[in-house]
Amino acid sequence: MPRTFQTHACAFFLLITATVVHAGPFVPAGDVSLRHDIQRLSDAGVIRSTVTTWPLAWGPILSDIDNADPGSLSPNLLAALSRVRQRARWETAPDEFHLNTKAAIADDSRAIRSYDDTPRGRSEIEAGLSWIGDRFHFNLTAQIVDSQRDTQNFRMDDSMLGVALDNWSVSLSTMQRWWGPGWDSNLILSNNARPFPAVVIDRLFTDPPDVDFLRWIGPWDFNVIFGEMENDRVIPEAQFFGMRFNFRPTQSLEIGLTRTAMWCGSGRPCDLETFGNLLIGRDNRGGQGIGLDNEPGNQLAGIDFRWAPSTFGTQIALYGQFIGEDEAGNLPSRFLGQVGVEWTGQILENYSTRGFIEFASTSCQFHESSPLFDCAYEHILYSTGYRYRGASIGHSVDNDARLLSAGVFAVDERDRQWRGLLRVGELNRGGSKDGNTLAGEPTDLISVDLTHSRVYEFGVLEASIGLERREATRSSSANNEARFYLQWRSSY
């Protein structure tokens, strides 16, 4: 098994000499308006593919919206269909170069990120060039960022160089990822931390299985990641492995099975046997010949779902995610949990709306009266934890937190948006002073953010203001913070 990202890259470039077909680009994570429209069309049965693993492939979405019957859709859904179709045609136009630019100023990057693609520093300038052809597609993006949280000022986040092999895409990628149905965050792979460089394998079209006894699965997707973490860790250049299988047995239900692991790295075993032990779950010390010197790594695994039956003409969905931090009997155990409810509707005749209430607990055995602290996102060997460049890879509130989030989103036919988000919670309930990235002791949190964006001829302008109060329960110290950002983006 490859030890470094450079080795992964060499393997990738050997693959591009294989027979390929049309290379389909992907819908990026972080665009709330686009996700809202895609989810509405999915709930209405227009889009039949899976939609909880981001980035999404454009291919199955384009196929579904091209076959949509406009006469069966409400004016509100027709507006969503038009926006998605226009975006898809633009991003998948063959043999055309597109220039993407973005600039932002802020008080600083938000320590607790939501699905929104908010600035990652006090100032940020970005430029990208994308192209799609018969063989390959690429999106090369560069940023210059001034941030107090990450000293790497020049970045190439949100870049991708990909090739299609039959119905699979293989790419070198630093795209942001979001694995799960949550709107404020999710427990196993979110865009809270910056994306790490990886070789990514994605299924392009999510058609149901051809085998008769498996057709009940419905549309399905499968993703695999081989990534590399930063040097500034207890175990430098630790490798990241992730895989996700999600399927849609009915129009109203989507299920995801996810597994991730940190392994390898400087001074740790990186051979095929080690990876094989990790893959089959033989990675707990004290059994089956596994000791400190050959323990494969640190794993997370679990299940998520989104169920959206139509009720009284209003679309209501229930969703949840349950991720095990440990293993017992070859199954995940010591679960972290997240549950939520969301609804869509319409106000003022022309505003399509979505609201959600979401609860998450990031302590092991979260459902018990006495959960386990200093367990989630932690590991004895990989003691930097489930984090990248000082931020949680999983839920944005890191470990041992409880968070209740309520959000609302509204967009009109001209793509003018309003977003509001309220959070109330407890950070670092166990009081860890070493691992938690947000608080050095138990801390109560309350915050509110309001965001508005409009489309102009020169691009999309977005402004946001927010207030946050943190109160440490042991030291009784309190901190009140106002925040803002102004962001502009455009495509040519």
Side-chain angles (χ1 to χ4, degrees), residues 358-377:
E358 185 173 294
F359 172 77
S361 177
T362 59
S363 297
C364 292
Q365 300 178 186
F366 78 98
H367 57 284
E368 296 187 0
S369 58
S370 299
L372 295 178
F373 295 142
D374 294 325
C375 164
Y377 302 151

Side-chain angles (χ1 to χ4, degrees), residues 326-406:
D326 205 349
E327 176 266 330
N330 294 320
L331 292 173
S333 65
R334 296 184 174 180
F335 280 91
L336 294 62
Q338 178 187 50
V339 293
V341 58
E342 60 179 284
W343 61 95
T344 56
Q346 186 174 339
I347 59 173
L348 301 178
E349 295 186 357
N350 60 340
Y351 273 91
S352 173
T353 61
R354 181 178 302 273
F356 70 85
I357 297 175
E358 185 173 294
F359 172 77
S361 177
T362 59
S363 297
C364 292
Q365 300 178 186
F366 78 98
H367 57 284
E368 296 187 0
S369 58
S370 299
L372 295 178
F373 295 142
D374 294 325
C375 164
Y377 302 151
E378 301 288 2
H379 194 257
I380 293 176
L381 289 175
Y382 293 85
S383 54
T384 308
Y386 197 69
R387 304 175 181 97
Y388 179 67
R389 295 192 176 277
S392 169
I393 297 171
H395 202 287
S396 55
V397 290
D398 212 321
N399 63 349
D400 296 335
R402 288 192 300 201
L403 185 70
L404 181 66
S405 308

Side-chain angles (χ1 to χ4, degrees), residues 404-417:
L404 181 66
S405 308
V408 64
F409 169 80
V411 57
D412 69 4
E413 70 279 358
R414 296 168 60 185
D415 208 14
R416 292 179 296 189
Q417 303 174 32

Side-chain angles (χ1 to χ4, degrees), residues 23 47 59 99 111 146 183 208 220 268 278 283 294 309 371 393 398 417 421 435 439 450 452 483:
I47 293 175
L99 176 64
D146 176 21
W183 284 90
W220 64 279
R268 298 301 304 167
L278 180 143
D283 61 349
N294 66 345
I393 297 171
D398 212 321
Q417 303 174 32
L421 178 62
L450 179 64
H452 177 58
R483 58 189 177 215

Side-chain angles (χ1 to χ4, degrees), residues 137-184:
H137 67 273
F138 68 80
N139 180 31
L140 300 179
T141 305
Q143 303 96 8
I144 298 177
V145 182
D146 176 21
S147 174
Q148 294 178 324
R149 305 182 192 280
D150 189 334
T151 57
Q152 190 177 60
N153 295 326
F154 177 77
R155 309 169 181 179
M156 292 197 70
D157 297 349
D158 298 315
S159 296
M160 174 185 284
L161 173 61
V163 60
L165 307 171
D166 194 25
N167 193 34
W168 298 90
S169 167
V170 183
S171 61
L172 299 176
S173 173
T174 57
M175 299 289 287
Q176 298 185 88
R177 306 171 186 98
W178 187 276
W179 284 6
W183 284 90
D184 191 21

Side-chain angles (χ1 to χ4, degrees), residues 8-75:
H8 294 320
C10 291
F12 167 78
F13 283 111
L14 289 175
L15 282 173
I16 67 175
T17 61
T19 301
V20 296
V21 296
H22 188 74
F26 291 83
V27 189
D31 189 326
V32 179
S33 176
L34 183 58
R35 182 184 175 188
H36 167 72
D37 283 342
I38 288 174
Q39 190 67 71
R40 287 213 67 191
L41 294 172
S42 175
D43 291 339
V46 176
I47 293 175
R48 294 168 295 174
S49 60
T50 57
V51 292
T52 61
T53 303
W54 296 78
L56 294 176
W58 268 122
I61 295 175
L62 262 172
S63 177
D64 288 339
I65 62 178
D66 282 345
N67 293 322
D69 177 14
S72 64
L73 302 179
S74 67

